[in-house]
Amino acid sequence: ITERKQVEEAVELGVPCLVINNKVEDLDVNYIAIDNLLGGEIAADYLISLGHTKIAIVTGNLATQAGLQRFEGFKNILAKRKIPLPEGYVYKGDYSRRSARIAAEQFFQLKELPTAIFACSDDMALELMAVSNEKGLQVPKDISIIGFDDNPACLYSPVALTTIKQPLFLMAEEAVRSLNTIITKQIVTKKKVVLPPELIVRESCSSPKK
């Protein structure tokens, strides 16, 4: 709310500004963001392509644009493919490892365990993998897990994590170029950029056991 107020004040005062990592559609302000809705769709689509129909999700903070849109994208694809999403397969997390651990404990107590889980951040995905191992479940043989971010830690977990990569470096480059133009040339060009995320396939997902 505070950040939103600052942007509104800048717009009112005519101060050039650029919002990074958030789409702002209801203000006349430039932004460079990531297509989180598409990211959620890619994650769901990939798991379905492997044959999964029992897919759970640990959301990010739904009060954030990223958290809400990743969840919406995920639900969109499941609905499109007519794959059910039981209430027990949804845990509203907050990007923390603690919330992922609580989610895993709940999922693994269900009568019908999910065969795959989409965690809306890599930190949560890595914690899900840790709890799975504690429960004697092998990733991806017994359960597939996909994350979101492409944190370097993905490569160093016992099983390399499949994830949705955010183009953060590209976003930063675009932002620096825009700000440099504003500072050096005193020119404010209209820039509303939404960058696509990318599926990074590693080792943590496979087809469900028959």
Side-chain angles (χ1 to χ4, degrees), residues 37 41 44 69 71-81:
L37 189 77
E41 291 177 344
Q69 290 186 348
F71 185 33
E72 290 298 322
F74 173 81
K75 289 192 296 182
N76 287 349
I77 292 298
L78 264 62
K80 186 177 179 181
R81 302 294 182 83

Side-chain angles (χ1 to χ4, degrees), residues 107-168:
F107 293 155
F108 297 151
Q109 288 177 12
L110 295 171
K111 286 185 178 179
E112 195 161 12
L113 268 63
T115 60
I117 306 174
F118 170 36
C120 289
S121 78
D122 288 341
D123 276 349
M124 295 195 299
L126 292 171
E127 190 67 17
L128 288 172
M129 290 173 67
V131 178
S132 298
N133 289 334
E134 291 167 14
K135 301 289 185 183
L137 298 172
Q138 294 181 21
V139 177
K141 181 181 177 182
D142 298 316
I143 189 159
S144 292
I145 296 173
I146 186 171
F148 201 114
D149 287 330
D150 198 27
N151 187 313
C154 296
L155 291 168
Y156 304 109
S157 57
V159 177
L161 181 67
T162 293
T163 189
I164 307 299
K165 180 178 181 177
Q166 299 196 69
L168 296 177

Side-chain angles (χ1 to χ4, degrees), residues 34-50:
I34 290 165
D35 194 339
N36 286 292
L37 189 77
L38 177 60
E41 291 177 344
I42 291 171
D45 194 58
Y46 178 63
L47 293 174
I48 294 168
S49 75
L50 293 175

